[in-house]
Amino acid sequence: MTGGAGGFVRTVRGDVPKSALGFCHSHEHAFLADGHPATLNPALRIDDYAATVAELRDFRAAGGRAMVDCQPLGCGRMERALVAASTEADVHLVASTGFHKLAFYRDGHWVRTYSEERLRDVFVREVTVGMYEGTDAAEPCAASLNARAGVVKTAVDRERMADPDKRWFAAAAAASIATGAPIVCHTETHEEAIWLAHYYLERGVRPNNVVLCHLDRTTDRPETHRELAKLGVYLEYDTIGRFKYHSDEDEAKLLLRLLEWGMEDRILLGLDTTRARLKHYGGDVGWTYLIETFLPLLARFGVGDEAIRRWMVDNPAEAFAFKP
């Protein structure tokens, strides 16, 4: 494992030594309250506690031990449910502060209006003190859980790229530097990923505290992934079992190419599931898909056990560890 055995990952049940995190999905959504995101897409509602716990139990029975929940505050995060489900299913859940695509927030929401400094202070407090509740409807107040966020979620899309106002990203960078928390980055194009990586690095965020997500929406530019890896950031792939984008075979070929280029210590995997893809919500994939279907496919393509262990155990422990 690169970086040594010391350090910790911050979960909703407390800080966990890196060595104890275990098999980890690096990008998921365990809960998503019925709210503004669901008005944009009904699949963006994952609010059945019993169904999510059943998914988590299936995941644990198959060998899973941890997930990063990438739903940030103000747009459907269900803080108490995360803590309760993590405890009941005995799966480590890493919660997110930060922000998502601004389309996921109603007009006038405080995430849209806060200054860079106020955003930074909210993010820092959620990482160091505890997560706020009720932020979909109201501004953050003194009341919060003891459970703390373990990553700072950020999101770039066409709208945020075109907007000269970049205070959300500046606030996330400052929060990461102040706390040592990793930054998890929703991206939709390679150009956005390149811009965001350089933005954070230029502001002093440690490269190994930056996780670029959804880089496999397309599989036709592996050279770009290699250039990003050279920066020292982590590359997260979760367009697996999502056949509207491409086949799992194309995904495997992309990952094999990156492995041949020596990028095994930069790669993270997840499923980024929505309601439509979770079995206990009526979907057809479920959180066991990586373990039962995709990882065996990688093995048939020649990816060895050591690489798979890195992607599912060692790399997540490093990527999501705090780096003060």
Side-chain angles (χ1 to χ4, degrees), residues 98-118:
F99 65 95
H100 213 310
K101 298 169 59 171
L102 293 196
F104 287 179
Y105 300 92
R106 56 177 172 75
D107 291 344
H109 191 278
W110 62 267
V111 164
R112 292 178 175 269
T113 62
Y114 269 21
S115 68
E116 174 187 329
E117 291 74 19
R118 290 184 78 185

Side-chain angles (χ1 to χ4, degrees), residues 295-318:
L295 296 183
L297 174 68
L298 287 182
R300 292 196 296 274
F301 270 75
V303 178
D305 291 344
E306 174 61 26
I308 289 174
R309 177 178 172 81
R310 283 202 182 201
W311 299 349
M312 304 309 307
V313 179
D314 297 346
N315 290 354
E318 293 293 337

